[in-house]
């Protein structure tokens, strides 16, 4: 069974130890998650998509009713990374509808906390969900220009499977790679 919370001791880049906990997102967390998403998106996507597209996608994906629906949906998992008591990132994943396939839908770490192993710890938790659900494949979509995220995904064992352009309404498109990796059946 997937534990609700794991605590890790990490050596941060300045050599102080940090305590990282991966915890399920609760309904009371949705406003803070949306605010953290805005902060990360404005940094991560500033050179990739327009401010109008950032606003459009944040409104579409991080409105409170939608987040609350996702938290309550079966086959959907939201987790948050808490570092020294402070929310530093989050992930979500869901059963895609294809047999044996889990989709990593969101993976976001605060800019000040990136390259500290938090993204990797969130991916490990996503793999736990997939393993517990009997999935063997984890997929995701990533903007083709998002070199930082692609590098992190490649480090985690993902490879590009296909290229897609998806109309998301409002005159906007997502120009993405679909990446995939296997889900090992035993915890690595
Ligand atoms: C992608 C993201 C979640 C990775 O999280 P992270 O906490 O920085 O990742 P980790 O520290 O676990 O990094 C794991 C490995 O990925 C690779 N990696 C991560 N960031 C990288 C970067 N900027 N450049 C090159 N490699 C990188 C490295 O190999 C790294 O291991 P190392 O630091 O020991 O060399 C984070 O950069 C992020 O939130 N980016 C902005 C939002 C985003 O683009 N999300 C993805 C949407 S699809």
């Amino acid at each position: 069974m997937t534990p609700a919370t794991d605590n890790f001791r990490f050596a941060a880049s300045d050599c102080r130890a940090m305590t990282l906990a991966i915890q399920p997102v609760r309904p009371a967390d949705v406003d803070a998650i949306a605010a953290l998403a805005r902060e990360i998106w404005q940094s991560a996507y500033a050179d990739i998509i327009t401010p109008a597209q950032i606003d459009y996608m944040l409104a579409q994906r991080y409105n409170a009713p939608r987040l609350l629906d996702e938290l309550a949906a079966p086959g959907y998992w939201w987790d948050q990374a808490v570092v020294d008591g402070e929310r530093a990132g989050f992930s979500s994943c869901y059963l895609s509808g294809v047999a044996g396939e889990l989709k990593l839908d969101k993976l976001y770490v605060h800019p000040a906390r990136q390259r500290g192993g938090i993204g990797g710890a969130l991916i490990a938790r996503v793999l736990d969900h997939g393993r517990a659900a009997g999935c063997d494949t984890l997929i995701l979509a990533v903007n083709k220009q998002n070199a930082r995220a692609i590098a992190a995904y490649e480090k985690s064992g993902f490879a590009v499977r296909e290229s897609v352009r998806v109309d998301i309404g409002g005159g906007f498109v997502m120009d993405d790679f679909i990446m995939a990796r296997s889900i090992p059946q035993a915890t690595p």
Side-chain angles (χ1 to χ4, degrees):
M1 192 171 125
T2 305
T5 302
D6 282 344
N7 286 302
F8 306 87
R9 299 289 294 177
F10 273 73
S13 54
D14 64 359
C15 293
R16 280 181 301 115
M18 67 177 189
T19 300
L20 167 63
I22 305 295
Q23 303 171 344
V25 174
R26 306 289 181 197
D29 300 321
V30 299
D31 290 345
I33 290 287
L36 179 58
R38 174 164 292 278
E39 199 177 348
I40 299 171
W41 276 57
Q42 284 174 339
S43 157
Y45 293 127
D47 298 329
I48 298 179
I49 53 178
T50 63
Q53 183 163 353
I54 290 174
D55 286 343
Y56 177 83
M57 293 181 71
L58 286 170
Q60 196 180 51
R61 292 153 183 234
Y62 291 91
N63 64 80
R66 176 159 175 175
L67 293 184
L68 292 170
D69 279 352
E70 291 182 6
L71 290 181
Y76 223 119
W77 295 271
W78 271 86
D79 294 291
Q80 56 190 333
V82 179
V83 176
D84 295 337
E86 196 172 305
R87 190 178 286 99
F90 60 89
S91 61
S92 75
C93 60
Y94 62 87
L95 299 175
S96 73
V98 173
E101 189 179 87
L102 185 73
K103 181 169 185 189
L104 172 57
D105 194 43
K106 297 181 173 65
L107 182 72
Y108 291 94
V109 175
H110 190 279
R113 294 290 192 182
Q114 290 172 11
R115 294 306 288 269
I118 296 171
L122 286 164
I123 290 174
R125 175 53 51 86
V126 167
L127 292 170
D128 288 342
H129 293 311
R131 190 177 302 113
C135 295
D136 57 18
T137 304
L138 180 61
I139 66 158
L140 60 83
V142 59
N143 188 292
K144 287 172 191 163
Q145 295 178 62
N146 193 348
R148 171 174 39 198
I150 291 169
Y153 292 139
E154 285 174 341
K155 176 75 182 285
S156 171
F158 287 88
V160 172
R161 190 165 84 176
E162 59 181 302
S163 169
V164 294
R165 275 176 69 84
V166 180
D167 185 335
I168 55 168
F172 301 114
V173 293
M174 292 197 315
D175 191 14
D176 287 348
F177 289 129
I178 304 297
M179 301 183 79
R181 60 156 287 169
S182 64
I183 298 176
Q185 289 315 296
T187 309

